[in-house]
Amino acid sequence: MVQFMETSSSGGMIGMIVSLLILVVFMYLIIYLPQKRQDKKDTAMRNSIEIGDEVTTIGGVIGRVTAIKEDTFVLETGSDRVKIRFRRSAISSVEKLDMGNASKDTKKDTKEALKK
């Protein structure tokens, strides 16, 4: 009878270890991998800024990029042309400057306005 209790105890221990391993793998798939993908996207976005892009910082400052150095960039805000230097890690979002499509869109809008 003593041997029977020891085998069931070791079987319960193995079941607990297996369930713990399954839980760890599940947490890895649900939490770690999506966060890693998001970090890669954020890094790519921060490295793709160019002069003229409109940037929003994590503090809520919105402006256009006027200069870029290795790890910093200069942001020009508002019509008063205040220039502030930020680290690239402070970028929350980037809106690319698309000069080619902007001129085409304005030409279409003016043609449509003239037709009316």
Side-chain angles (χ1 to χ4, degrees):
M1 193 168 186
V2 174
Q3 287 181 339
F4 178 70
M5 292 187 90
E6 288 178 15
T7 58
S8 66
S9 174
S10 64
M13 184 67 105
I14 291 173
M16 188 170 60
I17 290 173
V18 168
S19 63
L20 183 63
L21 287 174
I22 290 172
L23 179 67
V24 168
V25 169
F26 180 73
M27 295 297 282
Y28 177 79
L29 292 174
I30 297 300
I31 294 174
Y32 182 72
L33 287 180
Q35 183 64 42
K36 191 174 177 181
R37 275 189 231 119
Q38 185 64 41
D39 289 345
K40 284 182 181 179
K41 285 181 186 178
D42 290 344
T43 302
M45 175 205 42
R46 289 180 177 126
N47 289 334
S48 71
I49 64 168
E50 297 174 352
I51 294 176
D53 291 346
E54 188 169 304
V55 172
T56 304
T57 66
I58 57 175
V61 178
I62 301 171
R64 294 224 180 259
V65 177
T66 58
I68 300 173
K69 291 191 178 179
E70 287 180 28
D71 198 27
T72 62
F73 65 98
V74 177
L75 194 66
E76 182 178 271
T77 62
S79 61
D80 54 354
R81 303 179 69 89
V82 174
K83 293 183 180 180
I84 307 170
R85 175 171 282 166
F86 288 97
R87 297 184 66 77
R88 282 186 191 248
S89 60
I91 297 173
S92 173
S93 66
V94 176
E95 193 172 314
K96 290 290 188 183
L97 178 65
D98 197 9
M99 295 179 76
N101 289 338
S103 62
K104 291 177 184 177
D105 291 339
T106 55
K107 288 178 184 177
K108 286 180 182 177
D109 292 340
T110 55
K111 286 181 181 179
E112 289 177 7
L114 291 174
K115 288 180 182 178
K116 292 180 182 182

